Structures are given as structure tokens and as C-alpha cells.
Amino acid sequence: SMFFTAPHRYGRRIIERVNQNPPDILVAIDFLFWFAYGTIGPDGTKMQTASERMASLDMGLDLLDTFQGPMIVGDLPDMSAAIGGFISRSQVPSPKILNALNAKIMAWASERSRVRIFPLAQLTRQLNSQEPFSIGPHRWETSELKKVIQRDRLHPTLTGQIALIQMVEDILKNDKELSARAPEMETDLTVLRERLNPPAPSTPTATE
């Protein structure tokens, strides 16, 4: 996807499509990421200062606000570990600005009863810490945590994506209003890994 090259344009297209055929629940885990990270502001203008990042984030929140159904929206993780790989230092907000951006997301969500926060910042810290932890009934050991982030230190691997799905399921199951809308999902790490990466068929041996 080229979303990061023009998040305001691509973001609008995505939300327009969503609103044409509204889902029961909109899951927007990382939709806001490139409205806060990067150096490309609205209409291709430069984005680096705190005020420019805030204005850009406001545009992303305004787009989400056009969806009138329930939604799960991710906050902003600290991805500074990816500097020098997929992203440059100028694309990453400082810790102070990142905290302010997340505070804006939390305030926006608190004013909308249909919005739930996906704790992407917290989950990212847990996944990167290499310390065992649990998502609902699912236990993540250090051996698995080493496999959750790609080499660019920015994008999740298949294993990392399974952790995201487990968190979505946990949010839905523990929400009185949304639990009835929650679809049945397979979230067991072993089952999904085998389903998505089935073992190669064994080569038949020649028989006489």
C-alpha cells in the first residue's frame, strides 16, 4: 500500500468506501499512524512541527468521525526503533509530541460512546519487551515474541498480526455493547500459523 505517501488522500478514499457499505464494527488499528508520523501533511505540504502533526491528526480523526457505527481505533505506538530502516528520524514525532498526539486521540474517543481504543502503544511495548505476557487466554512467551516484528522494525510479521487479532477479540468479548456483534474468530496462534502456513507436502518415495 502507498498509504504513507498521501495519508489524507488515501484515508479519505478508504473511509468513503467504508461508508458506502458500513460494517457492523470498524476496526482501525493503525489508520491514524501516518497522520501523525511521516513528513507529508495535507495536500503534500511539509509536516514536522507539533502543530502540523496535530492538524494532520485532526484530519484523520475527522475522517473516522464520518463513520457513525461502533469502531475500534488504535492509538500511536513509539516506533523510534525503526529509525534508520524503513523510516527516518524526521518522520518520527518526539516522545513529548507523541504523548500529546495520543492525548488528543484519547480525548476525542472519550467524547464518542461508539469509539473504543485499541491500545497499540501498550501492545507494541509488550511485544518488543521480550517479557512474557497474556492477551486474554493467550500466553505469549519470549520465544514467540522474537518473531512478531519484521526486520524493518516497523511492520508486524504474520505472528505479530495474530497478536493484533487476539487483542481485537479481547476488546470485543469484554465489551457489553459490542460483544453481541463480535464474529466467531479463530485466534489460537498454533492453529492460525498452521492454517496460514501449511506444511509442505512430503515428497513421495519411490517404491519398487
Side-chain angles (χ1 to χ4, degrees):
S1 171
M2 299 298 289
F3 189 96
F4 72 98
T5 64
H8 308 84
R9 183 171 74 249
Y10 286 112
R12 183 175 300 280
R13 290 180 186 175
I14 289 171
I15 296 301
E16 286 175 351
R17 291 175 187 169
V18 167
N19 284 327
Q20 288 172 4
N21 188 21
D24 290 335
I25 303 170
L26 174 62
V27 179
I29 296 174
D30 63 349
F31 178 81
L32 294 173
F33 184 85
W34 288 111
F35 288 92
Y37 276 71
T39 57
I40 302 173
D43 303 319
T45 56
K46 195 79 170 176
M47 180 180 73
Q48 286 187 314
T49 68
S51 60
E52 289 167 345
R53 293 190 189 281
M54 286 289 183
S56 176
L57 179 61
D58 277 331
M59 292 186 68
L61 293 171
D62 286 346
L63 288 175
L64 287 174
D65 217 10
T66 65
F67 179 74
Q68 295 305 303
M71 67 181 91
I72 299 174
V73 178
D75 59 5
L76 302 168
D78 175 9
M79 301 306 295
S80 56
I83 292 174
F86 189 84
I87 55 178
S88 64
R89 185 170 298 279
S90 64
Q91 293 178 293
V92 179
S94 69
K96 181 178 180 179
I97 295 175
L98 185 62
N99 287 337
L101 292 165
N102 273 326
K104 178 182 282 290
I105 294 172
M106 296 302 176
W108 176 85
S110 70
E111 297 171 353
R112 292 158 176 81
S113 61
R114 69 188 192 280
V115 177
R116 307 292 186 273
I117 290 294
F118 183 105
L120 186 56
Q122 175 186 331
L123 181 59
T124 300
R125 286 194 300 271
Q126 291 176 309
L127 293 174
N128 285 330
S129 72
Q130 305 295 300
E131 294 292 330
F133 73 103
S134 297
I135 303 175
H138 307 285
R139 184 69 177 169
W140 284 81
E141 302 295 344
T142 300
S143 59
E144 294 297 342
L145 294 174
K146 294 178 180 179
K147 308 171 186 177
V148 297
I149 301 293
Q150 295 184 33
R151 291 181 179 178
D152 62 12
R153 306 302 303 164
L154 183 66
H155 297 99
T157 60
L158 172 60
T159 299
Q161 292 179 54
I162 292 172
L164 299 179
I165 293 300
Q166 290 176 352
M167 182 63 75
V168 170
E169 181 190 47
D170 191 59
I171 291 171
L172 292 175
K173 284 190 172 181
N174 290 287
D175 191 291
K176 292 182 179 179
E177 295 182 26
L178 299 185
S179 58
R181 296 172 178 250
E184 288 295 324
M185 295 189 289
E186 177 58 70
T187 55
D188 182 84
L189 176 61
T190 302
V191 173
L192 287 177
R193 184 177 287 159
E194 291 178 353
R195 182 180 298 175
L196 296 172
N197 282 321
S202 58
T203 303
T205 57
T207 58
E208 294 184 2

